[in-house]
Structure formats: C-alpha cells, structure tokens
Amino acid sequence: MNRKEIEALRERVGCAAVLEHAGFAIDVKESTRRAMKFRRGAEIIIVTHEGRGWFDPLSDAKGDVFGLVEHLDHVGFLEGAGRVADLVGFAITEPEWQSPWRDQSHDLSLPERWQARRRPWPGSSTWAYLNSDRFLPATLLRAAIRQDHLRVGPYGSMWAAHTDNAGMVTGWEARGPEYRGFASGGTKVLFRLGPDTALRLAVTEAAIDAMSLAAIEGLRDGTLYLSTGGGWSPSTEAALRQLASRPDALLVAATDANPQGEMFGERLRTLAVATGCDWSRLRPPEEDWNETLKIKEKEKRERKEDGVPHSHRPRQGKLRPGEPALDPAARNAGGPGDVMKD
C-alpha cells in the first residue's frame, strides 16, 4: 500500500466508523460536534478533527484512524491499514444533535473572552440553572463568584474556569440545560474552589460536581475542591502533581461512582504514591455528587413542606444534614506506602 492509497483511506474512513464497527456507541449527551464521546463498557474514545482524529481521555493514546485500529486491535500498521480498507463505505449512525451556539469571539484571547462575560447574578438564567436545576445553594454560588470562577455563558449556560497553578485562565467547562462542552481553543487544567493553600485536595470530574461536594460539606475548611473536566491531560496531571507534592497534602479521589470514576480514582492513587502524599477514596452515594445533592435537598424541602423536621427517615446510605466530614478518619485512607481501597 503506497502513500497515496494511505492518504485516500484516511480521507474516506472516519474514526467513528472504526469505533461503531468495534462495538462502541456514541454518548450523545456528553458529545459536541467538535468532540464526540464513544463508549464501550468502561472504555472511552473522543473523536475530534471532524472525525479524523481521536484520543483516549484515560491514557496518553491518540492519533488518526490507523492509530485507532492499532490501539483497539493491538496490531501493526500494515494489518491495521488493511482493516481500515475493509471499512470503506461503512455507514455510521449520525447523531441528530447540534451545538446550540457557535462562539463568535474566536478572535479574542481566552482571558479576553472570559473577561467579556458577566458574572452570574440572582435573576440571571445562569443563576436559575445552577440554583434551581442543579440545586446549588446561593451561598455556594456567591462563594464561587467571589473567587471569580463563574461566568454567564450563552443560552442559560454557565462557564466554570480552569486555571493553571499561576491562576491564569486556560479554558472553561461550559454546562447548560442543553449543552455540555469545553472552551474552544482552551486547555483543561483544573477548576478550583477554595483556598489555594488548602492541603485537602478533593478531585472530581466536573465543576458542578466539585461545587456540589462543596455544598454538601459546607465548604469544609482546609479543602480545595477541584475538577479535571472529565479529562486527564498532561497539564492536569502536572497541576495535580504540584499540589500533591506539598507537605501534609491529602489527595481525595471524589470521582463518580461508576467504572470511569474508578479509573480516575486509581490514577489519583498512583499519583499520590508517586508524590508521597496521603490518599483517600470518597464515593458519592449516587452516581455523582450533583445527583447526591439533589436528593439531599429534595428530602430537606419535603420535610419543610410537611412541617415536621424529621418526619421522613433518611434513605439508607444517603447523606444526612449536619454530618461533619464525608471521609471519617481511617476509612479508605492511607499514605503512599499503605494505600487502602474499598
């Protein structure tokens, strides 16, 4: 197979075709036109560059359609190229969704685009989304706004800033009633809520989960609530490594209670061992911390409506109001030489 034939195959066969043929399915809810997420069990592949590129958010693997076949099938280039050729004409399932807007400020730098947006205020659609739809309390939202971590995005969405260890905005998680994505041209590092000097580092997979855990814990003293934005880029790992390398740091894997969350948790444990900091695993009672917060707040509202403070027995395993810490001493915790897991 000569170079011309290889280039022709690269143009004719997209990464989505390889993934569907391999049994992956698109996750429409967590996809955008520029980044389509495909799942096969616990495996995740993100397709980019209009279907011509891909990367694995749980490893450093990435490349073109030929590299994808090599990655999935563990074969060499020549055999992989043959399998790509077999997929010429393979019809993929086109998702019927569109990004609700296109960012028209592409000529501005990332910090300029961030500063051009207003902070959320009571009465704004972004505030309503976070407070009413996501059940984030007003006190928590005001704390995040005071730290300049939130902006009003288009169509009722919110922007949650990712910053490097110097405090520079590198991008933002964009979430709304009908949208989920990341800043075009931005870099995922870490969303941060809390004091930079905090030594308890609670790491989640989404900014809304980080804020939800902070709300549940009442913005626990000495805690920095973090979000990786669902990725694990070299810049994210470097930022976490720097934070975890400080004396007496505790890395808390507060990732989702699902296979992807467990993989992220294992990566955090490995990082903790490498940096010599303590580590603990904190699983949400529901799949993620925002679902946990929603149930907690709904039960609280039901008790208020009934007029009897404790008329409902809390569901087994759910968080109760007034609980101090979610990770009691000696539970799922340990140092780099004595790591414990569930």
Side-chain angles (χ1 to χ4, degrees), residues 216-235:
I216 292 168
E217 293 191 332
L219 281 169
R220 178 173 165 178
D221 290 341
T223 296
L224 181 60
Y225 298 93
L226 304 166
S227 163
T228 66
W232 189 272
S233 67
S235 54

Side-chain angles (χ1 to χ4, degrees), residues 54-69:
W54 64 276
F55 69 90
D56 181 349
L58 303 178
S59 74
D60 296 326
K62 61 182 178 180
D64 62 6
V65 66
F66 299 106
L68 179 58
V69 172

Side-chain angles (χ1 to χ4, degrees), residues 23-27 30 37-45 260:
F24 283 75
I26 188 170
D27 186 336
E30 297 193 8
K37 178 180 282 189
F38 287 80
R39 296 181 183 270
R40 184 177 68 181
E43 297 175 273
I44 298 174
I45 296 293
Q260 179 176 317

Side-chain angles (χ1 to χ4, degrees), residues 243-265:
L243 291 171
S245 297
R246 295 175 297 171
D248 300 321
L250 169 64
L251 195 60
V252 180
T255 50
D256 295 350
N258 57 29
Q260 179 176 317
E262 294 303 320
M263 282 189 284
F264 272 110

Side-chain angles (χ1 to χ4, degrees), residues 199-203 226 232 240-241 243-244 248-254 265 267-273 275 277-282 327 332 334:
L199 294 177
R200 180 175 180 262
L201 312 170
V203 185
L226 304 166
W232 189 272
L240 284 171
R241 186 177 295 273
L243 291 171
D248 300 321
L250 169 64
L251 195 60
V252 180
R267 279 184 167 236
L268 291 167
R269 186 196 67 80
T270 302
L271 189 146
V273 171
T275 57
C277 81
D278 290 335
W279 173 85
S280 68
R281 177 70 169 105
L282 185 60
D327 53 343
N332 299 330

Side-chain angles (χ1 to χ4, degrees), residues 77-153:
F77 177 79
L78 289 179
E79 185 174 350
R83 297 185 185 189
V84 171
D86 291 339
L87 292 175
V88 171
F90 182 84
I92 67 170
T93 304
E94 292 288 350
E96 296 182 1
W97 49 261
Q98 292 183 349
S99 175
W101 74 81
R102 180 183 175 185
D103 191 349
Q104 299 297 327
S105 51
H106 56 273
D107 54 334
L108 300 177
S109 67
L110 277 166
E112 288 173 335
R113 287 161 60 190
W114 175 259
Q115 293 299 333
R117 287 284 174 179
R118 294 183 63 184
R119 299 181 183 187
W121 68 96
S124 66
S125 55
T126 298
W127 184 285
Y129 167 66
L130 293 172
N131 184 240
S132 300
D133 294 358
R134 293 292 191 160
F135 285 71
L136 292 170
T139 52
L140 183 284
L141 293 177
R142 291 190 179 98
I145 292 167
R146 280 196 302 271
Q147 294 185 29
D148 200 26
H149 296 324
L150 298 179
R151 285 290 190 271
V152 172

